[in-house]
Amino acid sequence: MSRLPPMTVRLRLTLLYSALFLVSGVVLLVASYLVFRNAAVPNLIVVPGGSAHVTAAREAATQMKYQHVIRNSTDALHQGLLRSVIVLAGMTLVSIALGWLVAGRVLRPLREMTATTRHISERNLNERLALAGPRDELRELADTIDGLLARLETHVAEQQRFAANASHELRTPLALTQALLEVARDDPDRDDGELVERLHEVNARAIDLTEALLMLSRTDRESFTQEEVDLSLPAEEATETLLPLAEKRGVTIDTSGDPTPTHGSTALLLQLVTNLVHNAIVHNLPAGGTVWVRTGARPQGAELTVENTGEELSPQFVSTLTEPFLRGSERARTDHAGVGLGLAIVRSIVDAHEGILTLTPRHGGGLRVCVELPRGRES
Ligand SMILES: Nc1ncnc2c1ncn2[C@@H]1O[C@H](COP(=O)(O)OP(=O)(O)OP(=O)(O)O)[C@@H](O)[C@H]1O
Ligand SMILES: [Mg+2]
């Protein structure tokens, strides 16, 4: 069985060009043939007159001449037609060759793009197609692929940083446990109670960290059931749960909330408000701090703002806070040893709900966190 060449775009374009050329050539040829055929036939006008005998003889001679002329002109026409067909066949071959060249030229950027894209992997994601030339459809495609590569590169870098940080953070409690156990082994007279207490503390921290990591991967990956939620309810619940902590730290919580319909996961939204209010309490002034928790329906969606007093923060510092494992320097001075995932979880929950998270430093110190979520159905 003979194998046909693969129907590449180049081949298809070539065939299309040549077919178009051939069809227009044939149409032109047929049209000119018809025109010439009609035009080439001379009219025979016989002028009556003279005797009947003479007239008959003249007419016969004229008819003969006329037939001869007709035959000659038809022969010439057919000759011309044959030559034109040969020229058309030759030109069609030329048009196939030209079409092949032109199609190759037009498609060259596409071939370059394919070659470059083929050898880009996660190792050289920094490479770009960077197609030069006019702003046409191919350039647009190349720019779109470059945009995709840029987003992928950022995402992969973020993931790698995250994995490195997570491993580092998980190693810390394990290393601490190891050190405590070694000390205990080398000193049999040591107080076991103290050791157990320290080990318990370290272990609890490791569990917190693992749970936060699990939470983060769940919100990043899992699709959750969407339901109609009144955002003011999880806000109220989170505030109530955290009230004892606020009292312990001398922080006042001021809550106000109208019904704020949105849709999403109640559990995740509760986690979101809890993280924000928890932050607002623990990263507050050492004494006499205030936290404001507000919810409200806005024309563009459901809005939650959590604001707190605290130390002065720079906009640059605030813009980095949602990075996983990033903790403010004041952590060393407070007794809250967070794992630095609270805001990363908040960001991923907001993303999963297609919302917008905005962090702004408060005038006079502290932070204002605003979460805008899609508007739910009014009940
Ligand atoms: N409401 C806030 N006011 C001031 N600083 C804040 C506030 N919320 C967060 N921060 C700063 O951002 C950092 C990151 O917050 P994040 O919640 O991600 O981690 P964390 O609170 O340190 O630990 P955890 O994972 O236990 O929440 C904090 O360490 C703190 O410096
Ligand atoms: Mg936190």
Side-chain angles (χ1 to χ4, degrees):
M1 233 171 65
S2 68
R3 286 245 319 267
L4 287 172
M7 251 306 173
T8 56
V9 174
R10 188 178 186 180
L11 186 59
R12 260 184 277 167
L13 281 179
T14 308
L15 292 180
L16 186 69
Y17 293 154
S18 323
L20 281 178
F21 177 81
L22 188 63
V23 168
S24 4
V26 168
V27 168
L28 189 67
L29 211 63
V30 170
S32 28
Y33 173 75
L34 293 176
V35 168
F36 278 112
R37 196 184 61 176
N38 291 339
V41 178
N43 293 325
L44 176 68
I45 301 162
V46 180
V47 186
S51 70
H53 174 74
V54 174
T55 308
R58 242 178 63 201
E59 216 168 89
T62 313
Q63 273 294 348
M64 284 260 292
K65 246 190 206 159
Y66 179 65
Q67 289 300 337
H68 186 69
V69 168
I70 293 269
R71 211 172 305 122
N72 274 355
S73 83
T74 311
D75 280 356
L77 199 61
H78 284 168
Q79 283 279 327
L81 183 67
L82 188 67
R83 273 192 214 121
S84 303
V85 167
I86 293 169
V87 170
L88 181 63
M91 285 310 289
T92 305
L93 288 181
V94 172
S95 90
I96 289 177
L98 281 179
W100 181 254
L101 287 179
V102 170
R105 220 190 142 71
V106 169
L107 294 173
R108 191 191 299 152
L110 210 55
R111 280 201 305 279
E112 282 167 12
M113 276 156 63
T114 310
T116 317
T117 318
R118 200 171 271 156
H119 105 274
I120 292 179
S121 66
E122 80 279 3
R123 272 179 223 297
N124 52 354
L125 266 181
N126 57 335
E127 280 193 27
R128 295 289 177 271
L129 302 177
L131 195 71
R135 283 222 136 267
D136 53 11
E137 289 88 340
L138 289 180
R139 171 85 184 277
E140 212 169 288
L141 175 64
D143 289 353
T144 310
I145 294 177
D146 280 349
L148 172 73
L149 286 173
R151 286 199 299 281
L152 267 178
E153 189 189 6
T154 319
H155 184 73
V156 168
E158 218 170 78
Q159 291 287 318
Q160 282 168 347
R161 218 168 37 241
F162 179 80
N165 284 338
S167 325
H168 181 262
E169 294 286 329
L170 281 168
R171 208 170 133 253
T172 309
L174 291 176
L176 252 170
T177 310
Q178 178 84 350
L180 285 171
L181 289 173
E182 271 167 18
V183 170
R185 189 185 57 194
D186 298 344
D187 179 6
D189 304 331
R190 228 181 106 101
D191 178 9
D192 276 356
E194 192 197 336
L195 175 74
V196 168
E197 194 51 45
R198 291 287 314 275
L199 279 177
H200 183 265
E201 223 171 80
V202 173
N203 202 46
R205 205 171 136 58
I207 292 173
D208 283 352
L209 176 60
T210 318
E211 263 168 12
L213 282 173
L214 277 175
M215 181 81 205
L216 197 57
S217 78
R218 263 215 311 277
T219 45
D220 272 350
R221 261 178 274 285
E222 230 169 64
S223 60
F224 45 85
T225 44
Q226 296 261 346
E227 54 205 347
E228 294 300 310
V229 186
D230 176 359
L231 198 55
S232 65
L233 300 180
E236 211 170 280
E237 193 181 334
T239 318
E240 247 165 55
T241 317
L242 289 166
L243 212 52
L245 178 71
E247 272 166 11
K248 204 176 108 196
R249 289 175 171 254
V251 172
T252 322
I253 303 187
D254 176 347
T255 322
S256 71
D258 305 321
T260 310
T262 181
H263 42 248
S265 148
T266 311
L268 287 181
L269 291 176
L270 177 64
Q271 179 77 46
L272 176 144
V273 192
T274 306
N275 286 10
L276 289 181
V277 177
H278 185 265
N279 275 351
I281 296 169
V282 298
H283 303 297
N284 211 311
L285 293 170
T290 312
V291 174
W292 295 270
V293 183
R294 312 220 178 292
T295 53
R298 303 276 172 272
Q300 67 277 19
E303 192 179 85
L304 162 81
T305 50
V306 179
E307 236 177 290
N308 60 283
T309 48
E311 67 176 48
E312 198 86 45
L313 306 168
S314 72
Q316 293 92 306
F317 172 68
V318 167
S319 66
T320 61
L321 290 184
T322 55
E323 276 261 322
F325 303 111
L326 216 131
R327 284 165 287 223
S329 53
E330 93 269 28
R331 176 185 159 233
R333 279 188 274 121
T334 65
D335 55 349
H336 166 71
V339 293
L341 284 177
L343 282 178
I345 292 172
V346 167
R347 185 179 68 174
S348 108
I349 294 176
V350 172
D351 286 348
H353 285 77
E354 286 164 7
I356 304 166
L357 173 70
T358 333
L359 278 74
T360 25
R362 248 187 104 241
H363 224 64
L367 189 72
R368 176 175 193 274
V369 183
C370 176
V371 177
E372 280 172 64
L373 296 174
R375 210 186 155 92
R377 275 197 295 276
E378 226 89 17
S379 53

